[in-house]
Amino acid sequence: GAGVSQSPSNKVTEKGKDVELRCDPISGHTALYWYRQRLGQGLEFLIYFQGNSAPDKSGLPSDRFSAERTGESVSTLTIQRTQQEDSAVYLCASSLGPGGNQPQHFGDGTRLSIL
Amino acid sequence: AQSVTQLDSHVSVSEGTPVLLRCNYSSSYSPSLFWYVQHPNKGLQLLLKYTSAATLVKGINGFEAEFKKSETSFHLTKPSAHMSDAAEYFCVVSDLRTASKLTFGTGTRLQVTL
């Protein structure tokens, strides 16, 4: 597709369940990012993948959060044993390459609600 | 560490009047600065970026921003607001040290009234 695609667009689940969120980056983009956006707030960086390098996981809030990426394609963000404070919109972005001057292209996000 | 401060959480303007959304940044290294817009239930769309070229940057939809190093500011402006400009706007900074890790401001919600 032309843009970053995320699925599902909405997810409602019970506290304690595991959830998996998916991101398809723009074809050819080597860099991929996950962010969390809580209601009425800016974006919090979670994790960054660049090519085959080790990911930058410095933003993951706890060991319940993990992410994988296969090569330079799809990425999944997994949250285990979800808590109510995990409720947020999770945004994925990709960019053509590394470097702070490369603009990031965002998907529409997954809205996660923990009951 | 780098940081961004968006001075107004909410701005309201009448359609056809100028828009000013204020942003101040802090960075120890040469920064790259961006403005993104987020419409309801949508992802973020890049409006414009500054990466050490011209200090006056023109973006999409008639928006522009001026990088002022002496004031550590990167305010977003538009001469005439449209109803479709109503959205959340984020000022974002990165620098050579943090590479691809962006730091986002808390956002400014722009309301446009008739």
Side-chain angles (χ1 to χ4, degrees):
Chain A
V4 176
S5 177
Q6 291 188 247
S7 61
S9 55
N10 284 283
K11 178 72 176 178
V12 181
T13 193
E14 294 179 346
K15 177 182 171 180
K17 300 284 189 185
D18 297 353
V19 294
E20 190 173 277
L21 313 180
R22 178 187 168 104
C23 173
D24 280 277
I26 293 173
S27 178
H29 281 196
T30 62
L32 186 146
Y33 314 78
W34 283 98
Y35 296 90
R36 179 171 67 181
Q37 184 178 29
R38 289 195 164 119
L39 187 64
Q41 298 186 20
L43 275 66
E44 301 171 69
F45 167 80
L46 296 177
I47 188 168
Y48 159 59
F49 295 90
Q50 170 54 43
N52 293 319
S53 302
D56 177 351
K57 303 180 181 180
S58 60
L60 294 178
S62 78
D63 59 7
R64 296 187 296 105
F65 287 72
S66 62
E68 301 288 334
R69 187 182 187 194
T70 307
E72 294 184 352
S73 60
V74 172
S75 175
T76 55
L77 176 69
T78 302
I79 309 174
Q80 296 178 306
R81 305 181 302 281
T82 52
Q83 304 294 314
Q84 288 188 331
E85 63 262 27
D86 299 334
S87 295
V89 176
Y90 290 82
L91 289 163
C92 176
S94 69
S95 64
L96 200 55
N101 63 353
Q102 291 281 352
Q104 296 181 16
H105 301 263
F106 285 81
D108 288 344
T110 294
R111 184 174 301 276
L112 177 64
S113 300
I114 308 300
L115 302 178
Chain B
Q2 60 190 17
S3 67
V4 173
T5 301
Q6 291 186 243
L7 297 160
D8 307 293
S9 59
H10 183 258
V11 169
S12 183
V13 301
S14 299
E15 190 175 36
T17 65
V19 175
L20 170 63
L21 305 183
R22 298 183 293 166
C23 172
N24 286 96
Y25 70 92
S26 172
S27 175
S28 302
Y29 298 83
S30 299
S32 293
L33 292 155
F34 307 82
W35 276 98
Y36 282 86
V37 61
Q38 185 178 33
H39 291 275
N41 300 315
K42 291 291 186 181
L44 279 72
Q45 180 185 18
L46 180 69
L47 278 179
L48 49 81
K49 68 175 183 177
Y50 165 79
T51 55
S52 76
T55 56
L56 181 62
V57 181
K58 294 188 183 299
I60 62 171
N61 301 335
F63 284 94
E64 62 182 40
E66 186 172 7
F67 174 72
K68 292 186 177 181
K69 186 175 181 179
S70 61
E71 299 176 9
T72 60
S73 69
F74 190 58
H75 301 332
L76 182 70
T77 60
K78 182 173 180 177
S80 175
H82 290 184
M83 295 297 290
S84 61
D85 294 329
E88 188 89 17
Y89 291 79
F90 293 96
C91 183
V92 183
V93 65
S94 71
D95 63 35
L96 292 175
R97 187 175 57 89
T98 58
S100 297
K101 191 178 296 184
L102 303 181
T103 299
F104 285 76
T106 52
T108 298
R109 180 164 296 279
L110 176 63
Q111 181 181 17
V112 182
T113 59
L114 290 171

